[in-house]
Amino acid sequence: MNKLKITGGRRLDGEVLISGAKNAALPILAGCLLAETPVLLRNIPHLRDVTTTIELLSRMGVEVTVHDQMGIEVDASGVDKLEAPYELVKTMRASILVLGPLLARYGRADVSLPGGCAIGARPVDLHVAGLREMGAEIQIDNGYIRARARRLRGARLVLDTVTVTGTENLLMAATLADGQTTIENAAREPEVVDLANFLIAMGAQISGAGTDTIVVEGVDKLEGAEYTVLPDRIEAGTYLLAAAITGGRVKVRKVRPEHLDAILAKLRMAGATVTVDGDTVEVDMRGRRPDSVDLRTAPYPGFPTDMQAQFTALNAVANGVGAITETVFENRFMHAQELQRMGADIRIEGNTAIVTGVPRLTGAPVMATDLRASASLVLAGLVAEGDTIVDRIYHIDRGYERIEEKLSALGATIQRISD
Ligand code: EPZ
């Protein structure tokens, strides 16, 4: 069952409950390695990447117990294998997030280099450089990062590039280091703040998370705590965009609207009526065709690169011409050629996609190349004439919980099929 079949033409209308954030759950699960006693996590999403992370932790000797309503207990007191093997890391780059915690708590870690992916080379040089600054001895050979440190020491780290998981790895390492660490040019994403709040709940001493300078006073140990993961702003943005592209109305529930500012601003520019009420946000585009928007991706609080592919699909059926510039990753327009097969008019010029709206897209067999590209193909299928078959949807299962159920509940004609 590795394909989605979508029959376009239905205007979506309804409400959808947003799950916990994948990109907060993954670093927080890795952060459990720092705790001497069990951690209880809530609002962990049912995603392939979460399953992979739990598999990775279990192989290290971590006891993971799934409770009811997706509460997960993580007990790292019995860790006896300080390694993240290639066979798992190659399926999920975010496995690199165990490097900082293992080094900080156990003084050693052997983690496979993640390698690139469809959207870019995805180096981890800044992760390694920061840990070396903190006193780690790191060799890279046979495709593995082999790190050793009696005890990491606090350091002043200045990151050349804003890196989300780089900031997260170094933040986790700093919690148990000897002395003070400052991380400058740190990532400000809400998921970084959620990780910091989780670490603080376990006894870490962190200030400045959410700004570009994070200060950590190292402590001797961290104790398990209970923590609820924040809602997924990218999942929420994707469903709100589904309303805009189909000319419908969708309300997302259990979100943090303040994390959606850049996305909502663009949806308003596209002509949508956006209503924020507590932890719900509604987008209403009934009876209207969207207007093209220009956007330029950037680290938070700028426009999120993880919503770029979705807005490329919106521009494909909008009034006018929209320029979409991708500044974070070097190859994140893989969805363009698939959208072109559906009739989209997209011209790539360097790191900018010039999208001229067309009256209609036509359904076609298309192929998912990465997580967010596959989301954009599903969105295009919702509005295309006829059937769209999206292949290799294991990409989409990594980041969207039960996408066909949630979209069907909004009125879409979508089903999971096998070859
Ligand atoms: C995180 O990836 C997210 N993944 C990505 O989400 C997201 O697209 C990305 O941040 C940007 O917001 C997780 O949080 C698990 P980066 P990450 O390090 O941390 C360069 C999704 O769809 N860089 O912030 O790997 C890098 O090449 C995924 O959910 C270095 O040069 O991204 C890129 O150009 C896709 N050296 C830029 O920084 C390094 O050591 C930003 O990458 C690290 C990064």
Side-chain angles (χ1 to χ4, degrees), residues 175-214:
T175 58
L176 295 179
D178 181 17
Q180 182 184 83
T181 298
T182 57
I183 304 173
E184 300 191 22
N185 199 24
R188 301 166 54 188
E189 272 69 5
E191 294 76 27
V192 175
V193 177
D194 212 37
L195 171 66
N197 290 337
F198 164 64
L199 296 169
I200 290 166
M202 293 204 295
Q205 292 183 21
I206 301 169
S207 59
T211 74
D212 61 5
T213 302
I214 303 177

Side-chain angles (χ1 to χ4, degrees), residues 52-288:
T52 304
T53 303
I54 289 173
E55 167 65 23
L56 174 62
L57 294 175
S58 303
R59 291 201 198 176
M60 291 176 185
V62 174
E63 289 284 317
V64 181
T65 318
V66 178
H67 287 203
D68 53 355
Q69 320 105 9
M70 260 332 257
I72 289 184
E73 182 180 277
V74 183
D75 179 355
S77 57
V79 167
D80 56 7
K81 193 169 172 50
L82 307 175
E83 179 180 315
Y86 176 64
E87 63 182 291
L88 278 177
V89 175
K90 74 182 178 188
T91 67
M92 188 190 65
R93 306 185 62 268
S95 308
I96 189 74
L97 286 163
V98 302
L99 177 61
L102 285 176
L103 202 47
R105 175 136 183 255
Y106 301 97
R108 59 175 292 162
D110 291 311
V111 176
S112 167
L113 273 171
C117 74
I119 63 178
R122 313 292 296 276
V124 291
D125 56 312
L126 300 177
H127 301 233
V128 171
L131 292 171
R132 281 179 171 147
E133 275 291 297
M134 297 172 76
E137 296 287 325
I138 299 184
Q139 305 296 326
I140 296 181
D141 52 36
N142 308 110
Y144 273 77
I145 300 169
R146 303 196 184 284
R148 304 291 181 270
R150 248 183 317 289
R151 185 177 185 193
L152 293 173
R153 60 172 186 269
R156 178 169 172 267
L157 308 174
V158 183
L159 300 179
D160 296 352
T161 311
V162 175
T163 161
V164 173
T165 51
T167 300
E168 291 167 345
N169 238 334
L170 296 169
L171 172 60
M172 290 190 280
T175 58
L176 295 179
D178 181 17
Q180 182 184 83
T181 298
T182 57
I183 304 173
E184 300 191 22
N185 199 24
R188 301 166 54 188
E189 272 69 5
E191 294 76 27
V192 175
V193 177
D194 212 37
L195 171 66
N197 290 337
F198 164 64
L199 296 169
I200 290 166
M202 293 204 295
Q205 292 183 21
I206 301 169
S207 59
T211 74
D212 61 5
T213 302
I214 303 177
V215 180
V216 186
E217 298 295 342
V219 295
D220 291 336
K221 65 184 173 71
L222 298 179
E223 294 296 339
E226 291 194 25
Y227 195 76
T228 300
V229 169
L230 93 169
D232 194 316
R233 61 193 168 100
I234 304 301
E235 185 195 20
T238 304
Y239 286 107
L240 291 173
L241 209 130
I245 202 168
T246 59
R249 173 184 55 177
V250 169
K251 182 181 284 186
V252 291
R253 293 182 39 236
K254 273 187 67 181
V255 299
R256 301 270 287 278
E258 68 273 22
H259 295 158
L260 296 167
D261 287 345
I263 298 167
L264 299 183
K266 289 299 171 187
L267 284 170
R268 289 190 176 99
M269 284 168 67
T273 302
V274 178
T275 310
V276 175
D277 176 12
D279 68 351
T280 69
V281 176
E282 180 183 86
V283 160
D284 187 346
M285 189 73 99
R286 284 174 299 173
R288 270 165 291 167

Side-chain angles (χ1 to χ4, degrees), residues 302-360:
F303 186 88
T305 174
D306 290 349
M307 284 297 299
Q308 177 262 103
Q310 297 90 318
F311 270 86
T312 305
L314 183 67
N315 271 353
V317 294
N319 289 314
V321 183
I324 294 193
T325 301
E326 172 59 62
T327 72
V328 176
F329 291 110
E330 64 267 31
N331 185 34
R332 202 168 197 175
F333 286 124
M334 305 282 279
H335 45 287
Q337 61 240 24
E338 296 304 300
L339 290 170
Q340 283 162 339
R341 299 186 58 249
M342 299 173 72
D345 178 350
I346 304 175
R347 201 171 72 249
I348 306 289
E349 292 180 0
N351 66 344
T352 296
I354 310 288
V355 188
T356 304
V358 294
R360 70 187 55 74

